[in-house]
Amino acid sequence: MTHQNAEHSSRFGTGSEAGADVPDANDNRRQVLYWRLLARLFDHEEQPALESASLAVVEDIGLPSALLDPGASVDSVVQRHPELAPEFDGLMTPAPEEDGDRDRAAEVRRAALASKVLLNVFASGSGTVTAEQLARWQSDAEWFERALGCRPGELRGGRGSAGRAGAGGGVSPTGTGVGGPAPDLSRLIPAIGPELGSIEAGLVKRMHLREVLADPALAARLTPSMSLIEQLLRDKDNLSGVALANAKALIRRYVDEVTEVLRTQVEKSTVGELDRSVPPKRVFRNLDIDRTIWKNLTNWSPEEERLYVDRLYYRHTSRRTTPQRLIVVVDQSGSMVDSMVNCTILASIFAGLPKVDVHLIAYDTQALDLTPWAHDPFETLLRTKLGGGTDGTVAMALAQPKIAEPRNTVVVWISDFYEWRHQELFDSMAAVHRSGAKFIPVGSVTSSGRGSVNPWFRERFKDLGAPVISGHIKKLVHELKTFLT
């Protein structure tokens, strides 16, 4: 240890002798780590005193000095020191309360690990970002999500939408077992998700994306995310050749990942009632043995101890469905890109259900009927053009003629409803609602549940008896599945 480090060890109680003389030595150590964290988050200038003191703390508690290296990803630290991986899982979730004194030494250890994750995620730097740097940040963000007790990708809302991870995925809901208070950010999760998405979007914008896409090796390092897909969709008309092929491959990968998640949600939601007007299929797998025995008990022969069966009973398996028309209208202005991607995929899933006639319309100041491609979200997204203003009346002009049987039709309108001709659009929406069609206004169908809705529309939809659905995409899945089956 250098003279300077030894000096700081004495000052902050990092040595064993100092720990014996200073009762709160570990509290001082933890404060050093957190002061370094704050200094690096809010000031780009390195503080030598805090750096050397933090190094002394980390080395003294037996952790690798790589935790203090801004250029080292959490992945690289864990690869060299695999025993640390379980400690990152659930690191920032509330630890269970235990009787007795706090384990202050364990608190210092957790502070060092938490500082590493927080700095790698929130100190994103400035300047041009390479594909490798973006991939490293996304990996660090996944470790941060795991530290909060969530599944990787959950908070950013890109590829997952499951609940807090209490089981499975290697994530512990109660921390790592090392004990003691740590940075408990679990209460801030609703705010952290959008912030992570904003940081990721900023990194993508700082990339020379066209150059990256033109190089297959660099493009292969990109991890699909909502912010990346947004940039690809905005720039697709300026790409060609290898760059365009790589962009399409990334969009396809992301669509497939989100489709798998949404399809699972659709399958788990409510289904139609059994249709007893349809005779059950008389096959062995449908045989209702319990009912068959009960109905034939009068044929029991005590002398022979044998049951004679006059009739076999079978279970009903067919479910009552009626042909339904689903019209999905999506605002494709810049603020609604997340909804555009999710709803395009969702429409394609419902298009695959039996007896569901799906129509898809996208609009900004012009409307585009995407119904011919509604079954393929990849092709649909390639035909969208994000950005521009918002005029829902042009979309309504396309949607209204499709409402042939109002009581057999559901119209889902996804927008933030910041419209140019708001009164004219609302009047036409109210007319659709009064016609008997089910009108579902949706303000946000993101995986994170984040979004805003024009208060003027929100209040009028509420008075109309068709309140705006906002929040998690699961709400829309439930509404649609309930109506369509």
Side-chain angles (χ1 to χ4, degrees):
M1 183 182 297
T2 65
H3 173 73
Q4 187 181 27
N5 286 349
E7 179 182 345
H8 285 288
S9 296
S10 176
R11 180 181 176 185
F12 293 105
T14 58
S16 57
E17 293 182 2
D21 296 335
V22 183
D24 294 329
N26 284 315
D27 286 344
N28 290 339
R29 292 171 173 175
R30 187 158 49 91
Q31 289 179 30
V32 168
L33 294 172
Y34 285 149
W35 276 115
R36 174 185 177 270
L37 169 63
L38 292 173
R40 278 194 166 271
L41 283 175
F42 297 106
D43 188 353
H44 297 300
E45 295 294 329
E46 185 178 288
Q47 303 295 322
L50 285 174
E51 291 297 324
S52 59
S54 298
L55 178 61
V57 170
V58 167
E59 290 179 342
D60 195 60
I61 62 177
L63 286 173
S65 59
L67 287 174
L68 302 179
D69 180 2
S73 66
V74 178
D75 258 344
S76 65
V77 173
V78 170
Q79 286 173 3
R80 297 174 193 171
H81 306 276
E83 71 279 1
L84 296 180
E87 295 190 56
F88 282 106
D89 283 339
L91 177 67
M92 299 178 193
T93 56
E97 294 184 3
E98 298 179 357
D99 296 333
D101 295 334
R102 290 161 45 192
D103 187 347
R104 286 181 168 82
E107 293 176 21
V108 178
R109 187 177 181 89
R110 296 182 73 186
L113 297 173
S115 295
K116 177 60 178 174
V117 178
L118 289 169
L119 277 177
N120 277 28
V121 171
F122 290 100
S124 55
S126 59
T128 303
V129 175
T130 66
E132 185 176 2
Q133 288 173 324
L134 176 64
R136 186 175 65 189
W137 182 92
Q138 290 172 328
S139 173
D140 287 333
E142 290 180 357
W143 281 105
F144 178 56
E145 289 165 324
R146 291 170 62 172
L148 289 172
C150 301
R151 293 186 177 90
E154 180 181 344
L155 290 185
R156 286 168 288 154
R159 297 175 296 280
S161 55
R164 293 289 303 277
V171 179
S172 166
T174 57
T176 62
V178 295
D184 178 12
L185 303 180
S186 57
R187 295 180 182 178
L188 300 176
I189 281 180
I192 289 175
E195 181 63 23
L196 286 179
S198 177
I199 295 174
E200 185 174 40
L203 290 170
V204 171
K205 288 181 180 178
R206 286 156 49 192
M207 292 178 62
H208 292 163
L209 192 54
R210 295 181 192 176
E211 296 178 10
V212 172
L213 292 172
D215 186 331
L218 292 176
R221 297 180 183 177
L222 291 174
T223 301
S225 63
M226 180 59 71
S227 54
L228 178 59
I229 298 307
E230 177 180 356
Q231 294 301 315
L232 294 176
L233 291 176
R234 290 184 186 279
D235 204 35
K236 65 181 185 298
D237 293 336
N238 299 317
L239 301 175
S240 60
V242 174
L244 181 59
N246 286 328
K248 288 183 176 180
L250 286 166
I251 296 172
R252 171 71 76 181
R253 280 173 56 194
Y254 186 80
V255 166
D256 290 345
E257 290 174 7
V258 177
T259 299
E260 183 179 354
V261 173
L262 294 184
R263 182 176 287 115
T264 300
Q265 293 178 3
V266 171
E267 291 172 351
K268 287 183 177 180
S269 59
T270 57
V271 295
E273 297 179 354
L274 290 173
D275 189 353
R276 300 192 180 279
S277 65
V278 179
K281 290 185 178 181
R282 297 178 178 273
V283 294
F284 179 76
R285 69 173 177 271
N286 290 343
L287 180 63
D288 191 336
I289 296 178
D290 291 342
R291 189 166 179 236
T292 297
I293 293 175
W294 177 258
K295 291 288 187 179
N296 288 279
L297 279 179
T298 55
N299 298 328
W300 170 255
S301 172
E303 295 81 9
E304 301 178 53
E305 295 186 349
R306 179 172 297 183
L307 179 66
Y308 290 92
V309 178
D310 292 335
R311 179 182 174 185
L312 297 174
Y313 291 84
Y314 297 86
R315 298 185 184 89
H316 288 78
T317 57
S318 63
R319 297 189 178 273
R320 188 184 303 277
T321 60
T322 56
Q324 305 283 359
R325 174 162 290 188
L326 170 62
I327 302 172
V328 180
V329 183
V330 189
D331 178 351
Q332 66 171 350
S333 61
S335 60
M336 297 297 293
V337 59
D338 200 342
S339 293
M340 184 71 218
V341 173
N342 278 288
C343 286
T344 297
I345 295 171
L346 192 60
S348 72
I349 294 172
F350 279 104
L353 295 178
K355 299 182 180 180
V356 178
D357 181 22
V358 175
H359 294 255
L360 180 61
I361 298 170
Y363 76 97
D364 43 32
T365 55
Q366 296 181 330
L368 181 63
D369 191 344
L370 297 170
T371 302
W373 302 279
H375 65 285
D376 188 338
F378 173 70
E379 290 296 332
T380 301
L381 288 173
L382 292 183
R383 285 168 172 77
T384 60
K385 186 176 181 180
L386 302 177
T390 309
D391 184 3
T393 60
V394 296
M396 184 59 78
L398 280 180
Q400 279 182 320
K402 296 177 180 289
I403 308 175
E405 300 178 38
R407 297 194 177 278
N408 205 26
T409 302
V410 57
V411 178
V412 179
W413 198 290
I414 302 101
S415 175
D416 54 13
F417 297 100
Y418 285 93
E419 292 283 342
W420 176 38
R421 293 185 280 186
H422 55 278
Q423 187 65 58
E424 181 181 347
L425 178 60
F426 177 77
D427 290 343
S428 60
M429 290 174 168
V432 169
H433 177 73
R434 289 193 295 268
S435 72
K438 183 173 179 64
F439 184 79
I440 305 177
V442 183
S444 173
V445 288
T446 65
S447 298
S448 63
R450 179 169 57 102
S452 63
V453 176
N454 187 337
W456 188 91
F457 271 91
R458 184 184 289 278
E459 289 301 316
R460 280 156 181 77
F461 283 137
K462 184 178 180 181
D463 295 339
L464 189 65
V468 175
I469 292 178
S470 60
H472 207 285
I473 193 171
K474 285 183 179 179
K475 293 183 182 179
L476 180 57
V477 171
H478 177 77
E479 284 284 329
L480 293 179
K481 195 71 181 291
T482 300
F483 182 82
L484 293 171
T485 57

